[in-house]
Structure formats: structure tokens, C-alpha cells
Amino acid sequence: MGKSNPNKLCFLIMAFLAVTFTVLSAVFSEVGSASVTLPDNYTYDSGWICTYDDTVLPLTALPAKLDVAPGVMMTLTNTLPDLLEAGNAIRFRSSNQTIHVYIEDELIYSFSNDHAFLLGDSPGSGWHYVILPLYASGKTIRITLSTDYEVSSGYISSFSMNNIGTLLFADVKANMISIIICFLTFLIGIILIVYRLVSNPYSYAIHGIAYLGAVAMIVSVWSFIELMPVSVFYGKYSVMEFLSCMLLMLVPLPMMVFIKRSYYPKAEKITNLIGILCLVNFCISLPLQFFHVISLTRIVLSSHVIIILTILSILYYSIKDYIQKRNTYSLVLFISIFQLFAFSATDLFHYYKTVYTDFSRGFRIGFFLFIVILALHYFYRMSELVEKGMKASLYKRMAYEDILTKCKNRAFFEKELANAERKINSNSSIIIITFDLNNLKITNDQYGHKAGDDLLCACASVISEAFLPLGPCSRIGGDEFSVIMKNVTKEQVEASISKMKILISDYNKTHDAQLQIAYGYAEWNTENFKNLESVLSHADKLMYQRKSIMKMNTSL
């Protein structure tokens, strides 16, 4: 059993809690509907007047961020067109704001948090489609916005008006590139995890690729929630907000573990620190949300800080390694993580300081580039390792393989003989058989050296096939071969010799250069032999005796 991995345990705990709390919050919540941001089909930004406290302010440019304190209600008023068509809707965005829409004094739409189980005090952020009744033509529309969130107070989005189906279709069409990026990121994550599952489980570097795949899947789902009309069709916006916050909490740890396993194994301390911070963030934030003390949306800054800390840690290690070793891998990692840092910093600036509507765009693009660069680079590294491994395997095989006959060579034979010698005792059962190919010189002279080489290969093939169950065949000289057999009986050896003779007979029926193989074998015992070298010498002696007899019979 290997040593347990605390980072893996932390991530599994957080993932389990994220899934559990999201499912529970979805079951117990009752929150209004929402939608997405996209290009306007019909701009409806002019004519709006904002009232808050004692201030009356005509809005000349939207979206806008007014200097309004948290908790102060803003009222927006405008006059609708004189002729509305069936299915017309007005579309706008909210940011952690409670919304009520009136035609004159009649409430036609409301969106607020019902303080459902496990959900905080935020109704969520997103786009709304409010269908306008036909009788609202030419009347005053009044929209009230209020929030206790400082980052969202005073926020007023742009407005669009058109048929609701047209708006939705345009929204999906305008965000198609971002949707594709989310899909591709998720797909890359699946590919990386599958690659890990089907690869060598004993490779330490391979383990890291699964963590990169996990980050890709988490980020893609988070980005899709931030981007697309999931809440429009699902109808529970604060659940999406809740899930979005939890997914952000899950991002840093697997990313850092991937870097540690795939690039910098010595980054143990910072990886453990990131893991502890993630777990503490999770264990503190969820109870605060659960007991309605403070919602995850209000303390999302902690997740942002941990993510930035993770990115900066990776930047530090990549710069340090490149400066010290001029490592190309570290340079590629630095480039990919630096662009992610730049995109992330841009998103954070928009989130906290501007009225930007898509706060995940930069991170979405930056992470997609990050995952593509690292995935391609990772597979390139793996292909290099595979190529080196194949070369090493080839060199190892060549070191113990006879190039001509493809059987084992003398180096292999001597290694096997030495290994057997070290382990030998009085009870050992070892038989060594040697072979010599007859008439090789005659074949070379009569049919050419190519025929002689073919005869050598045929000799090796016949011996290997006949003795394969008992031991590998080794070429130990120009026309000499041998097999070291362990834990075998003389009956087995004689059976293999009989099979060899049949194979020789079959070969000679179809070839002019005839195959003749002399052999001799000896069995180890302590009475007759001091070591295996003496066994080999005795087998050689018997083989040459048989060779002489075969030559005499041939001459007769």
C-alpha cells in the first residue's frame, strides 16, 4: 500500500460536498427565471430615468454603475412603444439584485431570493426576459432594483426589446463561439482523463494528466453556467450562482497537483498549502451559506485569491526552473500560465470595478489556450518519452539478440549461465544442450554466402521452435547454438530433439542446401561437475562426437 495522498483526499471531499450541496439546494429552492447576455436585436437604452433617495437622474448611457449605497432601491422608468406585438419582451441583466417590473402600478414580473434551504441571500446574477402584455403599449414601465451587495449596488444593465424567441435565438447565436470553447474544453478534459485510464498506471507523470482533465471539466461547466441560459430553462438562478461559486473553489487544487506531478515534483509544500487553503475555504464558506450568515457570492473573493495564488505559484516555479536549467518545458508552461494570468486579472478588474457583463470571458479564453497548449505539450513530452523508451528497448534487445538469426546472442547466454551459476545447488535441475550446424562452409562455397546465412537462420528457427518451451536458443559462435534448460527432465529434452529432427526433415524436402545439426547435452550434478562451465564443456564434447559420426555417415 502506498502512502495516502492528502491533496487527492481534499479534492474528493470538496467535490463530494459540491455535488451534495448543489443537489440539495436545487431540490429545496424556488427561485425566479433568468437569461443570457447577447447583442441587441432592438436597443431600448434611451429614455430611462433613474430615481433613488432624493435623486432623479436621466440615464444617457447604458450599462451604468451609479454611486448608490447597498440596500438603496433604484427605480427605473420609461415609456413603452405605442404599438407592442404579441410575444414582445424586454431583456436586461441583474447582478445579485431583487427585481420587480410594473406596468403603471401593476406587477408583471418579480425576481427575488426566497432564502431557500442551503442558498444564501443572493438571488443570483443573470439576464431576464420579461414578456410585455399587449395592453402595455404606450404605458409607463417601472423597474425596481435593490441589493445588499456593494459590488452590485448601483448597477444598471443595457435594455433590449423584441420578440422573445428572436431574442433567445440571437443570444445563442451570438454566444456560439463561447459555447464551442466551453464544449471543447470539456471534451479535452474527458480525453485527458480517458488517456490517463488507458495509460501505464505505474507512470508517475501520467497521473498528473487526470488532474488537468478534472480542471478542464470544472472550468468548462463553470464557464457555461456563467455564460449560457442554463438558468432560463432550469428556472433556479441562485442554484446556478451557488454551483458557480463552488466550482471556483474546486479549481486551484487539481491544477496545482497537475503541475507538481507533471513538472515540479519538489513543489510539495506549496501544493499542500493550496490544498489546505481550498479545504479551509470550503469548510468555512459552506456552513456560513448554510446558516444564512453570509452567502458564497459575498465571499467569492477568497476563491479568487486562492486561484491567483495558484497561478502565481506556477509562474514562480516555471520562471525559476527556466532560469536555472533553461528548460524548454518550463518556458512553455510560463507562456501558457502567464496568458491565463493576464486574462484572469482582466476579468477580476471588470468584476470588481466596471459594469462589464461577461465576467468569465477572459478566464474562459485564457484557460482554453492554457489547456490546449499544455495538452499538446504534454502529449509531445509523452511521445518523446515513448520514443526514448522504444529506443532503450531496442538497444536492450539488440544487446542480447543476434542480428542475423534473431535468436539470443552470446552475451545473453553468458548472462543466463552466470545467473544460473549463482543460484545453483545440489538439488538444481539444469541441462545444457549445444548444437553445431554441419556443412556451412560447403553451402557457402556451393550456393553462396546468402544461402549460408539462410541456412544459419533456418538452424536457429528449427532449434527455437523445438526447444522454445524449455528455454531460449542462443547463438554462441559462428555456427554454434545452445539452450540452457532449467527444471526439465531428459524425457522432455529427448522429445524436443525428436521434434527438431522432424522440422529438419521437413525443411530439407523443400531446400537444396541441406540442414544438418549435431547436438550434445549434459545434466548438472555434483558428482561429475564442479560448475556449469564444466557441464557446457561436456555437452560440447558429446556434440563434437556426434558431429564426427554424422560426417562419417555422410561420407559413406
Side-chain angles (χ1 to χ4, degrees):
M1 292 292 291
K3 185 171 65 176
S4 61
N5 188 335
N7 294 313
K8 182 177 181 180
L9 180 62
C10 287
F11 179 70
L12 291 176
I13 291 172
M14 290 188 294
F16 173 76
L17 291 174
V19 172
T20 303
F21 277 78
T22 301
V23 171
L24 289 175
S25 63
V27 171
F28 288 99
S29 64
E30 292 293 338
V31 187
S33 59
S35 188
V36 220
T37 170
L38 297 151
D40 297 332
N41 296 81
Y42 183 88
T43 302
Y44 192 55
D45 286 342
S46 61
W48 290 96
I49 297 175
C50 178
T51 304
Y52 60 93
D53 290 336
D54 296 326
T55 302
V56 178
L57 180 66
L59 300 175
T60 57
L62 292 175
K65 185 77 162 59
L66 306 182
D67 187 15
V68 177
V72 175
M73 179 181 292
M74 297 185 299
T75 301
L76 309 178
T77 57
N78 204 343
T79 302
L80 293 171
D82 291 334
L83 186 60
L84 293 175
E85 298 178 358
N88 275 162
I90 186 170
R91 182 193 65 190
F92 59 95
R93 187 180 190 274
S94 67
S95 178
N96 302 304
Q97 294 162 313
T98 297
I99 300 167
H100 295 89
V101 181
Y102 301 85
I103 299 298
E104 302 294 351
D105 292 325
E106 180 185 351
L107 179 66
I108 64 168
Y109 179 85
S110 66
F111 180 81
S112 62
N113 184 17
D114 62 356
H115 298 284
F117 178 62
L118 294 180
L119 298 177
D121 56 1
S122 171
S125 300
W127 289 80
H128 304 266
Y129 295 87
V130 181
I131 298 177
L132 301 171
L134 291 175
Y135 64 79
S137 300
K139 293 186 178 180
T140 298
I141 183 171
R142 180 162 53 92
I143 303 175
T144 63
L145 305 170
S146 62
T147 182
D148 292 329
Y149 287 72
E150 184 174 356
V151 70
S152 302
S153 61
Y155 172 75
I156 304 173
S157 79
S158 59
F159 292 86
S160 299
M161 184 187 297
N162 207 315
N163 181 275
I164 186 169
T166 304
L167 288 172
L168 283 170
F169 178 77
D171 286 350
V172 174
K173 183 179 179 181
N175 268 322
M176 188 55 66
I177 293 178
S178 295
I179 297 171
I180 292 173
I181 289 176
C182 291
F183 172 76
L184 290 177
T185 304
F186 189 84
L187 183 61
I188 290 173
I190 293 177
I191 291 173
L192 294 178
I193 291 176
V194 171
Y195 178 75
R196 160 66 184 90
L197 293 175
V198 300
S199 299
N200 179 9
Y202 301 104
S203 172
Y204 184 79
I206 286 292
H207 287 203
I209 203 71
Y211 288 95
L212 183 61
V215 179
M217 295 177 70
I218 291 169
V219 170
S220 63
V221 173
W222 169 81
S223 183
F224 189 71
I225 290 173
E226 291 289 312
L227 166 74
M228 275 304 299
V230 178
S231 302
V232 174
F233 304 110
Y234 177 54
K236 295 180 179 181
Y237 216 0
S238 57
V239 174
M240 294 296 101
E241 187 90 1
F242 178 67
L243 177 58
S244 175
C245 291
M246 285 200 297
L247 289 173
L248 272 183
M249 293 182 187
L250 293 173
V251 169
L253 182 56
M255 180 184 290
M256 196 65 211
V257 173
F258 162 72
I259 296 300
K260 172 183 172 293
R261 293 205 167 196
S262 302
Y263 289 89
Y264 312 117
K266 294 183 179 180
E268 185 76 33
K269 291 183 179 180
I270 188 63
T271 304
N272 290 339
L273 175 62
I274 296 294
I276 292 171
L277 290 176
C278 288
L279 190 58
V280 169
N281 186 33
F282 227 81
C283 293
I284 292 178
S285 300
L286 285 180
L288 292 176
Q289 169 99 357
F290 178 80
F291 293 107
H292 294 280
V293 176
I294 186 170
S295 68
L296 295 180
T297 309
R298 290 183 182 273
I299 52 177
V300 71
L301 176 63
S302 61
S303 298
H304 291 161
V305 170
I306 296 174
I307 290 174
I308 292 299
L309 176 61
T310 302
I311 294 175
L312 291 176
S313 299
I314 299 172
L315 280 173
Y316 166 76
Y317 278 104
S318 60
I319 293 173
K320 179 182 176 182
D321 191 67
Y322 180 71
I323 292 175
Q324 291 179 347
K325 303 177 182 178
R326 295 295 172 182
N327 191 335
T328 305
Y329 297 154
S330 293
L331 180 61
V332 172
L333 177 61
F334 172 78
I335 293 172
S336 62
I337 199 67
F338 182 79
Q339 62 84 28
L340 176 59
F341 174 76
F343 278 112
S344 302
T346 303
D347 271 357
L348 290 175
F349 173 78
H350 286 310
Y351 182 80
Y352 289 104
K353 294 295 183 181
T354 72
V355 294
Y356 198 61
T357 55
D358 185 0
F359 299 117
S360 65
R361 179 180 298 175
F363 192 78
R364 181 188 312 125
I365 296 172
F367 187 83
F368 178 70
L369 294 175
F370 171 79
I371 193 78
V372 169
I373 293 172
L374 283 196
L376 292 176
H377 187 238
Y378 195 88
F379 284 122
Y380 173 74
R381 288 179 63 194
M382 288 299 104
S383 66
E384 280 190 328
L385 292 175
V386 169
E387 184 178 355
K388 289 179 180 178
M390 291 176 64
K391 286 182 178 179
S393 177
L394 176 63
Y395 294 150
K396 183 177 180 180
R397 182 163 55 87
M398 290 175 62
Y400 295 113
E401 184 179 278
D402 181 65
I403 296 176
L404 175 64
T405 62
K406 305 304 179 185
C407 67
K408 302 300 181 183
N409 59 15
R410 185 170 187 90
F412 175 85
F413 178 80
E414 291 180 347
K415 180 173 74 74
E416 287 295 298
L417 191 67
N419 290 339
E421 189 75 65
R422 284 194 297 269
K423 300 175 183 178
I424 199 170
N425 57 54
S426 58
N427 297 320
S428 298
S429 174
I430 297 178
I431 296 177
I432 299 177
I433 185 168
T434 58
F435 307 89
D436 189 274
L437 175 62
N438 292 340
N439 305 322
L440 178 60
K441 186 177 185 305
I442 295 175
T443 301
N444 285 330
D445 294 341
Q446 188 172 351
Y447 298 102
H449 286 281
K450 174 65 169 60
D453 289 344
D454 291 342
L455 197 65
L456 276 170
C457 292
C459 178
S461 177
V462 164
I463 296 172
S464 295
E465 185 176 346
F467 285 84
L468 181 61
L470 306 184
C473 172
S474 300
R475 184 184 179 191
I476 58 175
D479 55 2
E480 294 180 3
F481 299 84
S482 184
V483 178
I484 300 174
M485 296 168 282
K486 304 171 186 176
N487 301 316
V488 297
T489 62
K490 288 186 177 181
E491 288 76 14
Q492 289 176 293
V493 175
E494 289 294 337
S496 292
I497 292 172
S498 298
K499 182 177 180 181
M500 181 185 71
K501 291 178 178 179
I502 294 172
L503 293 172
I504 291 173
S505 176
D506 291 342
Y507 178 87
N508 290 336
K509 290 176 183 178
T510 57
H511 293 80
D512 295 330
Q514 296 292 285
L515 183 62
Q516 287 186 355
I517 302 174
Y519 64 89
Y521 67 87
E523 182 178 14
W524 156 259
N525 62 74
T526 55
E527 294 178 1
N528 300 317
F529 304 106
K530 294 186 294 184
N531 51 41
L532 292 183
E533 285 288 347
S534 57
V535 177
L536 177 63
S537 296
H538 189 66
D540 269 340
K541 182 180 178 181
L542 296 176
M543 181 266 292
Y544 281 116
Q545 290 176 1
R546 189 176 300 276
K547 186 179 179 72
S548 299
I549 295 172
M550 293 175 71
K551 283 186 176 181
M552 290 176 59
N553 291 337
T554 301
S555 61
L556 293 175

